[in-house]
Amino acid sequence: MSRVKPLRRPARLAPGARVAVVAPSGPVPEERLRAGLEVLRDWGLDPVVAPHVLDRHGAFGYLAGADADRAADLQSAWCDPAVDAVVCARGGYGVQRMVDLLDWTAMRAAGPKVFVGFSDITALHEAFAVRLGLVTLHGPMAAGVDFTKNARAQDHLRATLFAPETVRTIRSDGTALVPGRARGVTLGGCLSLLAADLGTPHARPGARGGLLCLEDVGEETYRLDRCLTQLLRAGWLDGVSGLLLGSWAQCEPYDRVRALLADRLGGLGVPVAEQFGFGHCDDALTVPFGVTAELDADAGTLTLDEPALGD
């Protein structure tokens, strides 16, 4: 099984950069989108909204419009040379229905640019790594309430986009579930999406050599158990260097979740940092995927070998 390798870094943003907002997953509340766009404008960015962002699927209300339209928005934004970054509006569900409709050859030819999202967007983080070989940002989304109303989440994403050298060390308030230090390349996202992505053309064969970031939302403990066990049984966690565990919002009480995480992950024999502060939580930190870094589980730090974005 091949090791997780560092990926190509897109360029950081500068004032005036054009940012396309897309909705690859669930329907987007218009008032939250307006609030998020205002934040981006306050940063000196030029946000543009893709044509189908506020659509609703005719039959399935959990989707932001038709699969083909959501895919077309993402591909058009990515292939537009005037666009410097693509930011997802929200998660939910829907990426897995549209990811196979993207023309990855055309998107690869368009060159690197910044991509931001989390939750259901995990499937796109994997696809961008496999198909484009590109660093992506696991961070707050434009119409997310965690973004529009939270200063730390905004500040950390802004620093990552504009001055990534200032956030080379990502500091959490968490502790070590399993102590120690580890080096590897960052990857991961939402646990249930990583489990669902197994065996697809856009997923990596495993996390060997990686610093794997995991989080989830609204799942009962037995469902988290099922996802972790599936990754273990598939050999996907074989050779992982270390783990960072983010938020488990709207799951069962954390002591139950923590016991499961220790049971399923403690036997891997690698450092595990818990409550690292990324994912579905207030004050969510932005974590780049595809960058070589060192995890210090005891100190609750992730130190990147180089800034998340290039010059």
Side-chain angles (χ1 to χ4, degrees), residues 59-82:
F60 306 116
Y62 50 79
L63 297 172
D67 298 342
D69 290 338
R70 301 196 318 280
D73 275 2
L74 175 55
Q75 184 168 320
S76 177
W78 193 263
C79 293
D80 184 346

Side-chain angles (χ1 to χ4, degrees), residues 156-206:
H156 198 257
L157 176 58
R158 183 180 186 178
T160 304
L161 293 174
F162 289 98
E165 68 281 352
T166 67
V167 284
R168 278 270 301 277
T169 295
I170 301 172
R171 302 182 185 278
S172 79
D173 298 323
T175 57
L177 186 65
V178 179
R181 294 188 178 200
R183 286 183 55 78
V185 176
T186 55
L187 76 161
C190 187
L191 169 62
S192 55
L193 268 296
L194 289 170
D197 222 27
L198 284 175
T200 68
H202 309 298
R204 278 175 274 218

